[in-house]
Amino acid sequence: MALQNIILASRSPRRVELLAQLGVHCDIVPADIDESSWPDEDPAQYVVRLAREKALAVASLHGHRGLPILAADTTVALGQLILGKPADADEAMAMLARLSGSIHFVHTAVALYQAGEVHCLLNSTEVEMMQVPVAVLADYVASGEPMDKAGAYGIQGRAGRWIKQINGSYSGVMGLPLHETAQLLHAW
């Protein structure tokens, strides 16, 4: 894939790094939307909706530049429970305690806006986390690492050692599934 320029509707340094692996340069223009879930909203539907809304929000402000706009959203789901970014250390600890010893899903939706259209793809990855001692979880929360991550953990960081196995996309768990992203970019 040749070097492409896009607008990335995200502040995530992980997404910028992952896009670089695809040979994509991006201008960062974060989307400012309400990320609240709707009552009875399925976690996969939730991330698809947010990715679309982010792309459209940035397009409404910056669509005149003519560059494609890429947006993504990631959530961790324990059953139908949506675990987004923790608001504080107590919430991070509660999320991690729930995920410890669980099999859960990480859903990441990627949306691409170009020429008035939004196309979206979803990646869902099954993740098995070992049982993690409470003291280890508390130390991790105290490090601050979980605070900007869905489900309060990053597979690419210290919490990666707790992941027994994944069935799906490692980059999707990081926040930008490379396969789906490349498919969207290639379609344009």
Side-chain angles (χ1 to χ4, degrees):
M1 181 180 296
L3 180 66
Q4 293 185 330
N5 290 312
I6 65 167
I7 294 173
L8 177 63
S10 174
R11 283 186 185 88
S12 169
R14 293 170 298 282
R15 289 187 177 128
V16 173
E17 291 170 10
L18 289 166
L19 283 169
Q21 291 181 30
L22 296 177
V24 175
H25 175 267
C26 56
D27 296 332
I28 298 169
V29 182
D32 183 23
I33 65 165
D34 178 3
E35 295 190 22
S36 303
S37 61
W38 294 347
D40 300 321
E41 188 171 31
D42 176 84
Q45 293 170 334
Y46 167 73
V47 293
V48 169
R49 178 178 61 83
L50 289 187
R52 288 182 61 82
E53 286 181 7
K54 289 175 180 181
L56 290 168
V58 172
S60 72
L61 299 174
H62 300 279
H64 64 279
R65 293 176 57 187
L67 293 175
I69 298 167
L70 186 80
D73 195 76
T74 301
T75 198
V76 173
L78 191 56
Q80 290 299 303
L81 180 63
I82 295 171
L83 300 175
K85 295 176 184 174
D88 56 31
D90 289 340
E91 188 174 23
M93 190 66 186
M95 286 182 188
L96 290 167
R98 283 180 171 222
L99 293 172
S100 176
S102 79
I103 294 176
H104 57 277
F105 281 86
V106 177
H107 301 289
T108 300
V110 183
L112 187 68
Y113 173 93
Q114 177 74 7
E117 294 182 40
V118 179
H119 295 272
C120 199
L121 291 175
L122 173 69
N123 177 274
S124 295
T125 298
E126 184 181 65
V127 179
E128 182 178 359
M129 183 183 284
M130 65 179 253
Q131 188 71 44
V132 184
V134 172
V136 174
L137 294 177
D139 181 57
Y140 180 64
V141 170
S143 77
E145 186 177 310
M147 299 315 297
D148 69 337
K149 295 168 182 67
Y153 78 91
I155 195 169
Q156 72 281 5
R158 290 174 50 191
R161 65 184 175 208
W162 306 333
I163 305 305
K164 291 173 73 172
Q165 67 179 11
I166 67 169
N167 182 13
S169 169
Y170 181 82
S171 61
V173 177
M174 285 180 64
L176 190 71
L178 291 177
H179 177 74
E180 288 81 356
T181 303
Q183 282 184 304
L184 285 172
L185 293 171
H186 180 72
W188 256 286

